[in-house]
Amino acid sequence: MELFTTSWAALRRAVHELPEHAFALPSGCRGWLVRHLVGHLVIDAQDVLITLATPAETAPTADALSYWTPTPTPPDGTDPHDALTVRLAAAYEDPGLLRDHLEDLGGAAERAALLAEPDLPVATQGMSLTVRDYLHAYVLEWTLHHLDLLAHLDPEDAPPGPPAAGLAEGRDMVERRLRLRLPEGWADADALRLATGRRAPTDEERAELEELGPRAAMLPLSFG
């Protein structure tokens, strides 16, 4: 629960500190500019609020790991839902309006998370899981999108990256979901980017993956 709020607050702070021109740059999500990614975060905040207000009628059917479904095809921004996100983000002609709306909804989502009963089952996307597991699943979402937000920014302009604890936990979640431990020498941010296809491996990294056996051959995979 604490890691959810830490990761979410850090991501919103990074959005707040973005220079104005950054909203027109590509993000780490293929097919999306930074402004589109921030629009997606607005929708994510709405989803958190909706889910926390939707008690499940059944016992939990999923947990923080099984919430995620790894697939070999990464999103490219052309899916109808993704395309809607692009149109909605474009409606905020002033990036400041988009930033402010995220902070309004994001702050409300954080407060709702802090007030929620951790063991209460909630319903979302056809599954039931405890509030604790639902919020923990979002640690991976926030961490990946924090990396996406900064993917093409000049380091001199970029806000701080994701918290170290979020990077470590996000990596652990990906590895446990894949049942594959990535090379220990890889930084957590690199492990997440490589495993989810956010950047291509170097020749050396590709050789290290090959040494891990057939499960590593599945990579990269998209988490959605």
Side-chain angles (χ1 to χ4, degrees):
M1 301 279 283
E2 182 179 348
L3 199 49
F4 168 88
T5 54
T6 300
S7 301
W8 184 218
L11 176 52
R12 287 166 25 235
R13 187 163 55 250
V15 171
H16 180 75
E17 295 176 2
L18 284 175
E20 203 80 357
H21 73 272
F23 284 81
L25 295 176
S27 76
C29 296
R30 191 170 60 170
W32 277 0
L33 302 178
V34 166
R35 70 182 303 137
H36 304 147
L37 173 58
V38 177
H40 171 71
L41 296 178
V42 168
I43 295 172
D44 269 353
Q46 292 176 164
D47 286 345
V48 170
L49 286 167
I50 291 168
T51 300
L52 292 179
T54 309
E57 298 180 356
T58 65
T61 59
D63 61 18
L65 293 184
S66 58
Y67 175 88
W68 296 106
T69 304
T71 59
T73 306
D76 59 6
T78 61
D79 172 270
H81 179 79
D82 292 346
L84 175 61
T85 299
V86 170
R87 294 196 297 273
L88 289 174
Y92 296 85
E93 295 183 4
D94 178 357
L97 297 176
L98 183 56
R99 184 190 282 121
D100 291 345
H101 196 191
L102 173 63
E103 189 48 41
D104 287 344
L105 280 172
E110 181 177 331
R111 292 190 294 273
L114 291 170
L115 293 170
E117 168 54 50
D119 296 319
L120 176 72
V122 289
T124 183
Q125 299 183 47
M127 65 184 83
S128 167
L129 65 172
T130 66
V131 165
R132 189 189 314 276
D133 276 327
Y134 172 69
L135 295 179
H136 196 70
Y138 263 94
V139 172
L140 177 57
E141 174 102 356
W142 302 148
T143 301
L144 287 173
H145 283 331
H146 199 145
L147 294 173
D148 292 333
L149 191 74
L150 311 180
H152 296 280
L153 266 67
D154 186 312
E156 293 186 0
D157 292 334
L167 286 166
E169 184 60 22
R171 175 183 184 156
D172 185 64
M173 291 174 72
V174 166
E175 291 179 339
R176 285 190 290 143
R177 189 69 180 92
L178 298 176
R179 291 181 290 159
L180 174 71
R181 288 297 177 186
L182 297 168
E184 291 184 7
W186 290 7
D188 293 335
D190 286 329
L192 286 168
R193 291 189 185 101
L194 289 163
T196 60
R198 282 167 163 80
R199 79 164 174 85
T202 64
D203 290 342
E204 181 180 350
E205 289 165 340
R206 188 174 291 106
E208 290 180 275
L209 282 173
E210 289 174 356
E211 292 176 1
L212 297 179
R215 293 200 68 80
M218 299 185 303
L219 299 179
L221 292 171
S222 174
F223 281 67

